Amino acid sequence: MINYNELLKAELQGLYGNQLEKVNQILEWYKIYDGNQEWTTNTGLDYIPTKKITNIIKKLIDTRARFMFGKEPFFDVRPIQVDEKGSTTHQYLAQEKEDLLHKILEDNKFHSKLLKAKKDCSIGGKIAIKLWGHKDVGLKIVFSPAMEFFPQYNLDDIDQLEKIVFLYALNNESEPDKQRIKKQVWELVNKTCILNESTYDGRGNIVSIEYQEYDTKLDFVPVIVITNGGLTGETEGLSDVKELWQNQDAYNKLASDDIDALKFQMFGQDVVTDADENSLKNIKVAPGAMIDLQTDATQSNQNRQAQIYRLESQFSYKDKFEDTVNRIKSDMYDTLDVPNVSLEQLRGLMQSGKSMKALYWGLMAACDEDWIEWGDALAQMVDYIFRMIDTYNLYGAREISKYETTLEIERVYPISEDEIDQKRINMEEVLAELRSRKTYIDKWSNVEDVDSEIEEILKEKQLFAEDNFTKALIEDLE
């Protein structure tokens, strides 16, 4: 285990309490998410109690992440200045800047990372987006889970990140001397971001120094921290696993007890009374078998007759059990505003686009609330990307990064009606010349080469125009 308190002592000056305890708690939440949901059972029993784990927590967190970011957000870069009639200069410059941004996002596999980051944020309560720029390799976007970073904010402005420390293990060695831990510190000093990076062993001794008081030439810390929920002034965020765990634990235990109850109570038992002992030994249980049932001689004088019959189980708790587990499961779904859309729950429900959209209204509202945090963070990330391109002249695109533009990040929920509405709105923008055809094709089609597609459209348009002109000439001659 990394000695977090020792490595952070000089950096955060003990302002945030026991970091090791916080990290251990986050790791526990990750274990629960991964299905490690064991519990203690009674010992000394005649049977081994069943432990059935149904990981509803993972299903709910994954479902909410897919609903919010299953479809990649579209980063629409638009010009600030309006083009003159017949001119597309500013629109072309904005498109050039947008193409550069999309290339950076695609090279960094941004959509895949974003979807996973939403899950990490739900589990650990927060995530960090770190930007790394280098002339030779371009710009890298790195997402870090909650246990790997420790931020420090301005005391007067909670939105101002002044310092952040990243700690993560480079190997899985058990011996402290062989362990390698990376510590990376970004800090604003006199309005300039300074980077320090070192490698330690498991005892906290420095093994190597990669960067020491390195001036990044940036006037900001290239890191954006996103928190999950919380109130004003909170910087840690809330874990959805923590909110769901009590119900998950109760559900697992009830489901396991139900399986054991079925084992012991669903089968009937054979009951034999007043039978001779030898007769009992010779009884065979098999289809069509004859039973030589003889009365015990000691009982015959009392006018008693040997009998055999089957005692069937009276299984009477079924309805109460189903009601209890359904209430627990429903409470878990309601906690994350995820609709329970199993086939049984959808039975009898009209499955039109409008009714399905109404079914997801609660989840859409919850994702809209999350987007207040995520949308601002992603917009800030894009702003930092172009400022770093300008500072380091990445991709030789310093001039492109300086174009004056605005950014709109568009989301589409994975509901057919929502997608159709967005397409219709975007098409109206194209017809009103508020959006380019290239942007529309890039957003809604699977065309690999957008420029070639536009050329084909122009050629077809020209052919149709020439064809109409030929028809008109023939009509005039006739």
Side-chain angles (χ1 to χ4, degrees), residues 35 39 41 55 58 69 75 93 110 114 145 153 155 161 168 184 188 200 224 231 236 247 298 301 389 423 433 465 469:
W39 65 92
T41 56
N55 198 350
K58 179 179 173 66
F69 289 129
F75 292 80
L93 297 178
F110 180 75
L114 183 65
Y153 299 91
L155 294 177
L161 181 64
Y168 47 92
Q184 193 178 81
L188 275 180
Y200 295 77
I224 303 100
L231 300 175
E236 293 299 319
N247 279 324
T298 61
N301 296 332
I389 290 174
K423 285 184 177 180
E433 297 184 354
F469 179 70

Side-chain angles (χ1 to χ4, degrees), residues 175-188:
E175 297 181 18
D177 293 336
K178 294 182 179 180
Q179 292 173 352
R180 292 296 178 266
I181 301 151
K182 179 74 71 177
K183 182 172 81 168
Q184 193 178 81
V185 183
W186 304 78
E187 182 178 11
L188 275 180

Side-chain angles (χ1 to χ4, degrees), residues 118-136:
K118 181 63 178 77
K119 299 176 186 179
D120 280 312
C121 193
S122 294
I123 300 167
K126 60 183 178 181
I127 60 104
I129 307 175
K130 179 172 63 175
L131 304 177
W132 184 275
H134 195 280
K135 257 191 171 183
D136 297 331

Side-chain angles (χ1 to χ4, degrees), residues 74-282:
F74 184 77
F75 292 80
D76 187 10
V77 179
R78 298 185 179 185
I80 292 179
Q81 294 182 334
V82 180
D83 287 308
E84 297 178 1
K85 189 173 182 179
S87 172
T88 58
T89 302
H90 297 298
Q91 187 175 352
Y92 173 78
L93 297 178
Q95 186 64 52
E96 194 175 6
K97 192 173 182 179
E98 181 180 294
D99 291 342
L100 174 61
L101 175 61
H102 286 181
K103 180 182 184 305
I104 293 171
L105 297 178
E106 184 178 351
D107 290 345
N108 280 276
K109 299 180 180 179
F110 180 75
H111 186 203
S112 174
K113 292 179 180 179
L114 183 65
L115 183 60
K116 295 173 183 176
K118 181 63 178 77
K119 299 176 186 179
D120 280 312
C121 193
S122 294
I123 300 167
K126 60 183 178 181
I127 60 104
I129 307 175
K130 179 172 63 175
L131 304 177
W132 184 275
H134 195 280
K135 257 191 171 183
D136 297 331
V137 297
L139 195 139
K140 296 298 178 185
I141 304 173
V142 181
F143 286 88
S144 297
M147 71 287 263
E148 290 186 355
F149 66 92
F150 307 87
Q152 183 171 306
Y153 299 91
N154 187 291
L155 294 177
D156 298 322
D157 184 3
I158 200 66
D159 296 324
Q160 180 64 47
L161 181 64
E162 290 189 338
K163 186 176 185 178
I164 188 166
V165 182
F166 289 90
L167 284 178
Y168 47 92
L170 299 178
N171 58 30
N172 294 320
E173 296 290 339
S174 57
E175 297 181 18
D177 293 336
K178 294 182 179 180
Q179 292 173 352
R180 292 296 178 266
I181 301 151
K182 179 74 71 177
K183 182 172 81 168
Q184 193 178 81
V185 183
W186 304 78
E187 182 178 11
L188 275 180
V189 179
N190 297 326
K191 298 183 178 180
T192 300
C193 182
I194 302 298
L195 170 63
N196 286 281
E197 184 177 319
S198 308
T199 303
Y200 295 77
D201 62 17
R203 302 185 189 280
N205 300 316
I206 295 179
V207 177
S208 63
I209 297 176
E210 285 73 39
Y211 294 95
Q212 186 171 15
E213 299 299 320
Y214 178 76
D215 186 356
T216 64
K217 310 297 183 185
L218 302 174
D219 59 355
F220 59 92
V221 177
V223 178
I224 303 100
V225 177
I226 304 174
T227 56
N228 187 48
L231 300 175
T232 303
E234 291 187 10
T235 58
E236 293 299 319
L238 304 175
S239 171
D240 291 332
V241 176
K242 180 181 178 181
E243 299 296 317
L244 295 168
W245 170 235
Q246 286 189 346
N247 279 324
Q248 176 70 74
D249 189 40
Y251 186 94
N252 287 340
K253 291 176 180 177
L254 279 173
S256 300
D257 290 343
D258 180 56
I259 292 174
D260 288 335
L262 284 172
K263 288 180 182 177
F264 291 108
Q265 296 185 33
M266 73 181 295
F267 303 106
Q269 290 180 297
D270 292 324
V271 180
V272 181
T273 61
D274 300 329
D276 181 71
E277 184 178 353
N278 291 326
S279 177
L280 289 174
K281 292 180 181 179
N282 293 325

Side-chain angles (χ1 to χ4, degrees), residues 208 275 330 355:
S208 63
S330 177
S355 62

Side-chain angles (χ1 to χ4, degrees), residues 10 22 48 76 114 152-153 180 226 308 313 324 329 332 359 373 378 380 403 437 456:
K22 292 181 180 180
I48 300 176
D76 187 10
L114 183 65
Q152 183 171 306
Y153 299 91
R180 292 296 178 266
I226 304 174
I308 183 170
S313 172
T324 301
K329 192 173 182 179
M332 295 181 71
L359 187 65
E373 179 83 15
L378 295 181
Q380 187 178 18
Y403 295 156
R437 287 178 170 81
E456 287 297 320

